[in-house]
Amino acid sequence: MSDTHAQSVAFVRETQIPPSDPPSSQTGAVKWMHENLFSSWFYGLLTLLSLYVIYVVLAGFLPWLFNGVWQASSIRECREVLDGATGGCFAVLTERWNQLLFGIAYPQDSYWRPLLAFVLLFIAAAPVLFAMLPRQMLLFTAIYPFLAFWLIWGGTILWPLLALAGFIVGYVVFGRLVKQSFAYGFFGAIVAAMITWWIGGFIVPAIAPEQTLLSAVPSRDMGGFMLNMILGTVCVSLSLPIGIVLALGRQSSMPIIKWICVVYIEFIRGVPLITLLFVASVVLAYFFPPGSNLDLVLRVIIMITMFSSAYIAEVIRGGLAALPRGQYEAADSLGLDYPQAMRLIVLPQALKISIPGIVNVAVGLFKDTTLVSVISMFDLVGAIRGPILAATEWNGVYWELWLFAALLFFIVCYGISQYSQWLERQLATDHR
Amino acid sequence: MNEVLAKTANVDMNVSDEEAIRIEKMNKWYGSFHVLRDIDLTVNRGERIVIAGPSGSGKSTLIRCINALEEHQKGRIEVDGTVLSSDVKNIDKIRSEVGMVFQHFNLFPHLTILENCTLAPIWVRKTPKKEAEETAMHFLEKVKIPDQALKYPGQLSGGQQQRVAIARSLCMRPRIMLFDEPTSALDPEMIKEVLDTMVELAEEGMTMLCVTHEMGFARQVANRVIFMDEGQIVEQNEPEEFFNNPQNPRTQLFLSQILGH
Ligand SMILES: Nc1ncnc2c1ncn2[C@@H]1O[C@H](COP(=O)(O)OP(=O)(O)OP(=O)(O)O)[C@@H](O)[C@H]1O
Ligand SMILES: [Mg+2]
């Protein structure tokens, strides 16, 4: 616009025209439907087809759900109540509720113990999962495994205390020796803890009282969803640190360490979990000195942990490989030693990259805990397949039971997945 | 020009007779590839050395050997009186005395600018956190970005990131600084801000080894320019002599190429 022209324009509007509403075909539900559901005749057809499918599914499912029977003592009674109408026989869930959650043999009067352990799990996990919580809470997290063991298994508190004492002694020794070198501290701590446990192993049986505050529950009585939760939580929390160590070991410049890690990872990944579980249930006993009757749950935990740690190691290796070499060089050039560089620079970044993969393994692991039903442990799946469906009262109530099992697993797995997505958003610092 | 000369003269007073780095008959191979051949180099405290040479001549490798980011196979490197051997203790000691600035900054993207600067002092020097933060802010002010302290590296421009990288090194109070093409990943308008920071550092008497193609910087700041080709130090001289009167034909060719356009 030239200057002369600008001067010739004498009129300047002093008020703004009030905004007018767009035509109704461009707003609200009509516009949304037009854009998203009926933008062409083909999409319109697809929309109608989808609506029909949804209708058919819900028409079958909703009456089944809302017309369900919740109070009955057997499937026959369910059928009598329904009298030919559609409806689920959810009475099996109410009647066998405790068996589904705690297994068939866990003592009834002690159900509060695993429940309490479950509630405390959230408090223990909170400071690990949410960095903004006060760090002092980690103290409870450290005590929690021993407390939970005592609550669920019962018996004398001296065993979990001994286990805890071993770790404390190890930690103290580590603190003393780490100033000389990390390896000194690390192996010194292991030796010190072993000695503590070994000595304690003689003392505890001698002084343990006959009557204990919480009655002892043997491992073979563990079952139901509780067993899945125990296996899932323990194995995930053990396989993460072991996986990290394996991944770092695989990168090591020391050939022996590297070789051990590679062989371990490749071997475990090449074997189906189910065979490892069979090994745990029958073969593993032969490897230990006769008389040392290693607990079955413990054997299964060892196997599942070995299995998933190999997978987690590979996931983390991917994260390590994605880090530019410059990060290692910058850490080195500042004089950070190996453990510091790993802990402060490399792992935080590599783990962040690996979150989706780790969650994938964790969710898979949690679901794979149902495989223990194959070695005749009565976890949720084992309890349904075995005592519940085999009982004459409930033989034939498949849908209700399996949907319930699926729902429980879905809630936990979906929760893990949501948490991991939230965590990824929290850790996003590269605003590119 | 006079200004520059006056500055140079001023800076020269800082050079002492004390040796900061001494490299004798150093050789390095990558596999069977002979990257560095019989390197002899002595750097006095307070000296500022610019290393130039064609791509692939081994400039980066040479300065990376000085803080043991690369291992040398033959010869001797002595930094601040400590001989570089495969002993990890020695290496960590030398690294904490020698600051290094990289072409691609290599800031830690998961830490804030302030945390980038305090990390090494806290963990390596065991400085209390508060003191480390004060030092960090001091050096961030020096490189003129104290207001960015709480941002993450990804939110800064290239020039700002490189200045943070310099501040991060300075927080360790190094006695020697190594620069590997600190400006060659930067846009032209950001080069100046980084070079200004480096000039300031030089004026304070920091011992510096700098691989760069910024010949203006070399003229203004260096006591000595070293020309490398095919893993050897071909020629070294004071900047005036080096640029106006190069002796070796390879140096002449290189200079005509780099100053020609
Ligand atoms: N890790 C490595 N393995 C094998 N060869 C390497 C390695 N790093 C560098 N080289 C080779 O060593 C030679 C010297 O490399 P260097 O990076 O020191 O050169 P430069 O002088 O810094 O070059 P530029 O100006 O391109 O940075 C090059 O020929 C390069 O290909
Ligand atoms: Mg280079």
Side-chain angles (χ1 to χ4, degrees), chain B residues 128-189:
Chain B
K129 185 162 181 245
K130 197 154 173 298
E131 197 184 317
E133 280 176 355
E134 277 162 18
T135 313
M137 286 314 291
H138 168 77
F139 284 112
L140 285 174
E141 259 158 47
K142 214 170 122 118
V143 300
K144 303 194 180 61
I145 30 181
D147 45 329
Q148 314 281 357
L150 297 179
K151 290 193 182 170
Y152 286 93
Q155 295 166 290
L156 268 55
S157 75
Q160 290 173 322
Q161 290 194 44
Q162 192 61 295
R163 283 182 285 152
V164 172
I166 294 173
R168 176 176 74 178
S169 292
L170 292 177
C171 284
M172 287 294 281
R173 309 249 180 216
R175 308 184 70 178
I176 300 165
M177 286 285 286
L178 308 174
F179 295 83
D180 190 0
E181 307 203 28
T183 56
S184 55
L186 296 177
D187 292 338
E189 69 264 33

Side-chain angles (χ1 to χ4, degrees), chain B residues 204-220:
Chain B
E204 288 169 15
M206 176 66 78
T207 313
M208 290 165 66
L209 262 83
C210 184
V211 177
T212 182
H213 293 134
E214 295 295 330
M215 291 306 147
F217 173 79
R219 273 180 199 271
Q220 185 184 347

Side-chain angles (χ1 to χ4, degrees), chain A residues 227-239:
Chain A
L227 183 59
N228 296 110
M229 284 297 294
I230 294 174
L231 293 177
T233 327
V234 174
C235 295
V236 168
S237 29
L238 286 180
S239 57

